Amino acid sequence: MNIEELTGLPAGAVDHFRSDGIEELYPPQAEAVEAGATDGENLVAAVPTASGKTMIAALSMLSAVERGGKALYIVPLRALASEKKEEFEAYERFGVTTGVTTGNYESTSDWLSTKDIIVATSEKVDSLVRNGADWLSDLTCVVSDEVHLIDDRNRGPTLEVTLAKLRKLNPRMQVVALSATVGNADEIADWLDAALVDTDWRPIDLQMGVHYGNALNFDDGSTREVPVEGSEKQEAALVRDILREGGSSLVFVNSRRNAEAAARRLGGVSKHELTGEERDELAELADDIRDDSDTETSKDLAEAVERGSAFHHAGLSSTQRSIVEDAFRDRLLKVISATPTLAAGVNTPARRVIVRDWRRFDPSAGGMAPLDVLEVHQMMGRAGRPGLDPYGEAVLLAKSHEESEELFDRYVWADPEPVRSKLAAEPALRTHVLATIASGFARTRGGLLEFLEATLYASQSTEAGRLETVTDTVLAYLESNDFIERDGGGTSGEDDNDDAAGAFTSAADLAEESGRDESLEATSLGHTVSRLYLDPMSAATIVHGLERANERPTALGLYQLVSRTPDMYELYLRSGEDEKFGELYYEREAELLGDAPSEFEEERFEDWLSALKTGKLLEDWAAETDEEQLTDRYKIGPGDLRGKVDTAEWLLGAAESLAAEIDSEWTVAVREARARVEHGVGEELLELVGVGGVGRKRARRLYDAGIEEPADLRTADKGVVLRVLKGKKTAETILENAGREDPSMDGIEPAESGGGAPIGDSSRDADSDATTAESTDPDDSQASLGDF
């Protein structure tokens, strides 16, 4: 189908696509248009990576906007939201506006009501529904990217329930679901009442094969010789081979440590293929990485990047991940060694994808277990980028002839597994049942079950009564923790969701209740928990901990408390650390909130110590321990530290709201602990870090110079301020933010170390011919988490 044949799009859209080099639609895109994508029809597109799924979404959304509607694009990751924002913002050339919202789960983001296209994560959309964002009822088209992630036990239920709620809120809304090729795309299409486009078509050929010995054997029967030289690894030989053709490589491994080690080794291959100009550009990127964080992980990454190699895993900061991804897309970096997180993330294709590790440690299996076919195919689908690569190759590595045959059978020739809903797991259901009640989607037990019948789980379930049983268990839990109230006062059919209530109760129940249905209502506490986007078990843990505190909680006590919640991923105990943190537990047992398990309850006690370890990390951070020391001490990456700090700040903010809700006397203690972990400072610095531009390091330097509160910045000797803050521009900004009448540093020289009274203006404020150059001290840059 030629691009000129498209109708129903905003004026200027076709010209925009043509200017991007699109003259003709790919076959899956044309099939989607023929199935009604631009006419408001529901659609499931199950097509391979790089086969034009985003264009299907764009055509659907733009046609909805042209009809006077509003579109929502749901992504699984924040990084993807940023990527799509850049892509969709180009539509402003022809009058279509875009907005993005990902964080702040308590906000309704009302400003988005003026936008034509909104990009958001599934968690953010769920929170918008819970908090009653009015503009959601204006949606006429919703696109769910990577809808196969409904199969993910952690994030899948949120996406599933969110889609069900949006469909109930807007019964006539168009739903477009984009998916990788899966084993049951037809089931997803049936659930969404959608037409199905299911194809394995790709714009460039993808060859899948296995490397064994010196031969790369492909699924079409062809063979390519890729000799392994001496003692080198197979992946090194494969990377060198494709580099000499001008192609890049992605190498997937099963752990962070393996990713870092592989990047070091493969840098020895990639460095020989760099031009002088590329070396210079990579050296600048390496400096940016070092400036972002002064940790061992950052240093290792910078060294690899200088050689044209990189690693990518969840331990990197968002800045570092962006640097690596952008440089790889620009073909500046030649090879990335990554954990599987990259396969489900942003657009990072390579000519050759090497799946080195096809097994991963699985605690439920008690050891190493094979990856799912769908996950491996997602990795392999990264091979080949249209317009840059003449083909794509995806390679698994075998150590023997028998293993080579196994890999062909297990992955190359196998179909991906079907997507299965994970909603009936109790942890997922308790969160979404409370939210469904609190947001008014269900006011009776029958109405709740009716709503849950609209989920994928209900359409897939073959176990009679399973959903009802788990739902009743969850309702009992929510009632016992004062999150909901139940009574038998409602009449079946009384509320919006109750028309079919009788279908969900047994004949005995109906006889006993005489047609009456149990009403459900969220308590004030339950509404707060739902609004805060907390797992109810997290809220219960926090509330019980605060209620049982006999004296003012310490920071460690509060940090360990929130670390015990399901919403915080605890640091696990390494070998020997059970003894170390066991000793810490006995030393500071009185500070910990709640009832500790007995040390004879091994699993529960280990979880308690893991939470204590996580809490101690947060306490050390709030004690101003250096980022490099923390990442080394706890064996984590800068991204892990930032993730823990962000999560703790959110949970403690929620704890503050819960403390106010239950009228706890410890609200101020919680607020202070939250502020300290937010800024990574001691109590005495909390006022200083409230000044814009003052982070943990600058606050400490100011405090040590005698500038102890914001008012001092308004009267302090400017030379002292300049000596402490080092950069003139930085000093002026901070003084302005502190409310200084004349923040200018013109003619000011830094005071001698230890010299000059810190408080009170001096003759240094007078104009002078002397000027001070901007500081290049790395401490003055955005070098660590708490700098600003």
Side-chain angles (χ1 to χ4, degrees):
M1 177 182 290
N2 191 286
I3 193 82
E4 301 290 347
E5 298 176 52
L6 292 173
T7 58
L9 299 178
V14 170
D15 289 339
H16 167 75
F17 291 129
R18 194 189 301 109
S19 69
D20 280 350
I22 301 172
E23 296 289 347
E24 193 169 337
L25 296 183
Y26 289 157
Q29 296 165 346
E31 190 176 343
V33 171
E34 290 165 1
T38 55
D39 297 320
E41 299 295 327
N42 291 350
L43 178 75
V44 171
V47 298
T49 301
S51 297
K53 290 195 290 284
T54 301
M55 183 65 170
I56 295 173
L59 295 175
S60 302
M61 294 190 297
L62 291 173
S63 60
V65 171
E66 179 64 9
R67 291 192 297 272
K70 179 187 291 289
L72 173 66
Y73 191 98
I74 302 176
V75 294
L77 302 170
R78 291 189 182 190
L80 265 176
S82 299
E83 184 178 292
K84 296 304 177 186
K85 173 179 179 286
E86 289 185 21
E87 187 171 343
F88 299 151
E89 277 183 340
Y91 302 160
E92 292 186 7
R93 298 172 193 164
F94 50 88
V96 175
T97 57
T98 299
V100 176
T101 179
T102 55
N104 191 358
Y105 291 142
E106 295 180 63
S107 166
T108 56
S109 300
D110 291 338
W111 62 276
L112 291 171
S113 62
T114 62
K115 301 298 182 180
D116 298 314
I117 295 175
I118 296 106
V119 183
T121 60
S122 53
E123 288 81 7
K124 178 59 181 181
V125 179
D126 184 25
S127 75
L128 289 167
V129 174
R130 297 186 190 199
N131 285 283
D134 292 337
W135 57 266
L136 288 175
S137 59
D138 297 330
L139 292 175
T140 58
C141 174
V142 61
V143 176
S144 179
D145 198 1
E146 310 283 359
V147 76
H148 54 272
L149 292 177
I150 281 177
D151 194 79
D152 183 278
R153 65 180 61 256
N154 294 316
R155 310 184 75 176
T158 297
L159 175 57
E160 181 179 350
V161 169
T162 297
L163 286 174
K165 286 181 177 177
L166 290 175
R167 294 183 73 203
K168 183 172 181 58
L169 195 63
N170 306 296
R172 298 177 182 173
M173 178 183 68
Q174 178 187 20
V175 179
V176 177
L178 310 177
S179 171
T181 304
V182 296
N184 62 335
D186 55 336
E187 281 189 19
I188 299 174
D190 288 343
W191 169 51
L192 296 174
D193 303 313
L196 174 64
V197 174
D198 190 3
T199 177
D200 58 3
W201 182 91
R202 284 176 52 101
I204 59 174
D205 288 338
L206 172 64
Q207 289 185 294
M208 296 192 292
V210 177
H211 184 268
Y212 165 58
N214 291 325
L216 177 49
N217 300 300
F218 291 109
D219 51 346
D220 62 1
S222 63
T223 299
R224 175 173 180 157
E225 185 179 4
V226 183
V228 178
E229 298 177 356
S231 60
E232 75 175 343
K233 303 285 187 180
Q234 286 173 278
E235 62 268 27
L238 288 161
V239 167
R240 185 183 63 252
D241 175 68
I242 207 71
L243 270 177
R244 289 176 177 172
E245 284 191 5
S248 58
S249 300
L250 273 176
V251 181
F252 285 105
V253 297
N254 59 12
S255 71
R256 297 183 186 185
R257 182 178 298 178
N258 284 340
E260 294 176 12
R264 281 193 295 271
R265 285 196 305 270
L266 294 172
V269 176
S270 58
K271 68 179 183 180
H272 299 297
E273 307 299 325
L274 300 174
T275 66
E277 184 178 347
E278 287 174 333
R279 291 179 194 277
D280 292 341
E281 291 184 60
L282 289 169
E284 291 181 14
L285 291 181
D287 288 340
D288 292 341
I289 290 168
R290 293 186 184 99
D291 286 345
D292 175 66
S293 172
D294 52 1
T295 63
E296 197 64 34
T297 300
S298 302
K299 293 172 185 174
D300 290 344
L301 179 60
E303 288 177 8
V305 165
E306 286 176 324
R307 294 152 52 118
S309 176
F311 53 85
H312 188 292
H313 56 58
L316 301 184
S317 71
S318 58
T319 298
Q320 292 167 352
R321 288 197 297 270
S322 295
I323 288 172
V324 168
E325 291 160 6
D326 291 344
F328 189 71
R329 277 193 290 266
D330 294 339
R331 298 294 165 103
L332 189 56
L333 282 173
K334 308 304 179 185
V335 56
I336 293 179
S337 303
T339 54
T341 52
L342 186 61
V346 292
N347 180 29
T348 49
R351 185 171 300 179
R352 179 174 284 166
V353 168
I354 302 163
V355 183
R356 194 194 77 176
D357 300 334
W358 52 277
R359 293 186 183 91
R360 176 171 55 210
F361 181 75
D362 183 351
S364 63
M368 303 298 284
L371 299 176
D372 289 341
V373 177
L374 177 58
E375 187 169 5
V376 171
H377 281 200
Q378 279 286 93
M379 299 178 200
M380 298 173 112
R382 294 284 171 189
R385 178 162 65 170
L388 283 179
D389 295 315
Y391 60 89
E393 287 182 355
V395 186
L396 291 142
L397 307 186
K399 303 298 183 185
S400 66
H401 178 70
E402 292 74 18
E403 187 176 61
S404 176
E405 291 184 336
E406 178 187 358
L407 291 175
F408 268 104
D409 291 337
R410 181 184 291 276
Y411 295 116
V412 176
W413 290 323
D415 293 324
E417 299 84 2
V419 170
R420 307 295 301 177
S421 168
K422 302 299 189 292
L423 180 60
E426 194 173 314
L429 205 58
R430 68 176 174 245
T431 296
H432 294 294
V433 164
L434 175 59
T436 301
I437 296 169
S439 57
F441 274 86
R443 296 183 175 88
T444 66
R445 176 179 177 276
L448 174 63
L449 288 167
E450 180 187 4
F451 170 74
L452 293 174
E453 279 292 312
T455 62
L456 178 63
Y457 175 80
S459 69
Q460 290 182 329
S461 179
T462 57
E463 188 178 347
R466 162 73 175 160
L467 187 58
E468 185 174 353
T469 300
V470 179
T471 300
D472 283 336
T473 300
V474 167
L475 288 173
Y477 174 83
L478 295 175
E479 183 181 32
S480 69
N481 284 283
D482 299 322
F483 297 141
I484 64 167
E485 293 176 345
R486 300 194 287 179
D487 64 53
T491 302
S492 182
E494 182 178 272
D495 295 306
D496 291 343
N497 293 342
D498 297 341
D499 297 338
F504 306 106
T505 47
S506 66
D509 287 338
L510 286 172
E512 182 179 339
E513 295 179 11
S514 301
R516 300 180 70 79
D517 190 12
E518 180 180 54
S519 68
L520 305 172
E521 185 176 355
T523 63
S524 178
L525 179 61
H527 276 289
T528 298
V529 172
S530 180
R531 175 178 57 81
L532 293 170
Y533 207 71
L534 282 176
D535 183 323
M537 185 173 283
S538 294
T541 300
I542 292 169
V543 168
H544 295 161
L546 292 175
E547 287 179 335
R548 294 171 190 177
N550 296 319
E551 55 186 40
R552 193 181 198 273
T554 65
L556 178 66
L558 290 166
Y559 297 154
Q560 198 259 0
L561 175 65
V562 298
S563 295
R564 296 204 312 267
T565 67
D567 283 307
M568 172 71 84
Y569 288 100
E570 302 169 346
L571 297 173
Y572 68 90
L573 295 178
R574 296 176 178 273
S575 178
E577 287 190 335
D578 52 346
E579 182 176 343
K580 173 184 176 181
F581 287 99
E583 290 177 1
L584 181 65
Y585 163 65
Y586 289 116
E587 287 173 12
R588 305 183 67 175
E589 181 178 5
E591 297 181 53
L592 306 185
L593 306 176
D595 298 324
S598 164
E599 61 183 296
F600 297 107
E601 301 175 79
E602 291 186 10
E603 189 171 333
R604 290 186 61 218
F605 191 67
E606 184 172 322
D607 283 343
W608 186 271
L609 293 184
S610 294
L612 178 57
K613 178 182 177 180
T614 310
K616 188 67 174 73
L617 165 68
L618 296 169
E619 184 188 49
D620 290 349
W621 164 253
E624 302 173 45
T625 305
D626 184 76
E627 187 176 358
E628 183 176 12
Q629 287 180 271
L630 289 176
T631 55
D632 181 62
R633 181 181 302 168
Y634 290 93
K635 308 302 181 192
I636 58 175
D640 299 308
L641 174 59
R642 298 176 193 206
K644 292 289 182 290
V645 168
D646 288 346
T647 302
E649 182 190 346
W650 163 58
L651 287 171
L652 287 162
E656 186 180 344
S657 297
L658 292 173
E661 180 67 40
I662 63 174
D663 199 23
S664 171
E665 61 183 305
W666 310 128
T667 304
V668 174
V670 176
R671 183 182 305 137
E672 184 178 284
R674 182 202 58 76
R676 287 191 60 198
V677 84
E678 175 188 359
H679 298 289
V681 297
E683 296 176 34
E684 70 275 18
L685 299 186
L686 285 176
E687 286 191 62
L688 274 178
V689 292
V691 177
V694 178
R696 64 196 310 241
K697 292 185 178 181
R698 290 173 181 161
R700 175 52 62 193
R701 294 201 302 263
L702 287 167
Y703 190 90
D704 290 345
I707 302 171
E708 300 180 357
E709 55 186 34
D712 294 340
L713 284 166
R714 294 193 284 273
T715 58
D717 183 302
K718 286 186 175 181
V720 173
V721 174
L722 185 56
R723 170 172 57 82
V724 171
L725 297 178
K726 303 182 181 180
K728 290 179 66 177
K729 185 176 181 181
T730 298
E732 287 177 345
T733 299
I734 289 173
L735 290 180
E736 183 178 359
N737 291 338
R740 185 145 183 163
E741 188 173 339
D742 176 21
S744 173
M745 283 287 169
D746 289 344
I748 303 299
E749 294 183 357
E752 294 295 326
S753 181
I759 308 301
D761 284 332
S762 75
S763 60
R764 291 184 184 273
D765 281 335
D767 287 340
S768 167
D769 291 335
T771 58
T772 304
E774 286 286 357
S775 169
T776 57
D777 190 299
D779 212 21
D780 197 46
S781 66
Q782 297 185 33
S784 74
L785 177 56
D787 269 353
F788 290 91

